[in-house]
Amino acid sequence: MSDAAEPTVLVRTDRGVGHVTLNRPRAINALDLGMIQALSAALDRWQDDADIDLVLLDGAGERGLCAGGDVRGLREQILAGAVAATADFFRAEYALNARIAEYRKPIVVVADGVTMGGGIGLAGHAAVRVVTERSRLAMPETRIGFTPDVGGSWLLARAPGRLGEYLALTGEAMDAADALYAGFADALVPSERIGDLRAALADRADPGTPAEIVLLFDETPGPSRLEAARGWIDEAFSAPRVAEIIERLRRRPEPEAGATADLLEASSPTALTVTLAAVRAARTLPDLRAALAQEYGLVLWFAKTQPDLPEGIRAQLVDKDRDPRWHPAALADVDDELAARALAWQPPAPLWAVP
């Protein structure tokens, strides 16, 4: 049966739980505008419903919560010059990200399996964020010539040490232990117990809060790879510029450091330069909404002015030749003021209405 045979978002209630399930399993529940609107409508419906005490968000299938947004469609919009449609999508998505963070009822998200890009925007800002032994969380935008968004820069900026810069520039995936250590998750629940967790959230006997109920199923993760690598990551990724990060990585004895340098040298110089500045700028911002507003300006700047974004999507996801032709091709050719200009660029209309 194809994904199109059923609604792409399943919405139902069970004993005080508003339950929403992303339902495009063949696409690892990748988000489109209709799904964002359906999620937003469910939250609207339950916000003042006295019979709903909490919201549970998960994904259909065993592959993941959400692989991200429809970047192939984004490329088509960019090539067609449909910037207004691009802006509409991101405005709706970012409003949903902020809504999840600010919702007056607890939202529990089960980030089982692949949770990347737009999936982080759904899972990362919830009140209770559950991962499993199958979880793989990442913000891989630089690999397509883009920059972390959906509030990802806010989460990355608050990761320990320089993990935010590392994760943002490399797009590396986190397992459950890494996600807990980096601040992207709150609890590890084995995938075989997720059904029991759903039932317990609906029963809500004693203890009563969602966080307390999740803790009944929480297990201690194994060691975090990221925590063990903090020494070389912090030393290299504290450098002021991407080129110097690569130089520091080349001087490190760890094999992982050299592999990371190779990865960065193959990535979009523009995306790396802007992303490094964006994560560091997010550390100075007051809240998630401010970070989303910064990201909104950056994503439209990429969509309107930068050839690397459609080229990166082509190379990774359309033609899949894994041979993007970046412009400029080398970090040495990136204008020293590029990141400052990107951060200062103003979208045609602000993300949030000015009071």
Side-chain angles (χ1 to χ4, degrees), residues 165 169 236-249 260-261 263-265 267-277 280 331-332 334 339:
E165 285 95 332
L169 295 185
F237 284 84
S238 62
R241 299 164 60 89
V242 177
E244 188 173 341
I245 290 174
I246 294 173
E247 290 173 5
R248 293 186 184 186
L249 288 168
T260 299
L263 175 63
L264 295 182
E265 288 183 336
S267 299
S268 161
T270 297
L272 294 178
T273 300
V274 173
T275 294
L276 180 65
R280 291 176 175 174
L331 282 164
V334 175

Side-chain angles (χ1 to χ4, degrees), residues 57-78:
L57 171 62
D58 56 17
E62 296 186 348
R63 296 171 66 195
L65 170 68
C66 176
D70 179 11
V71 293
R72 291 183 183 84
L74 172 61
R75 179 175 183 267
E76 293 171 2
Q77 289 176 350
I78 293 171

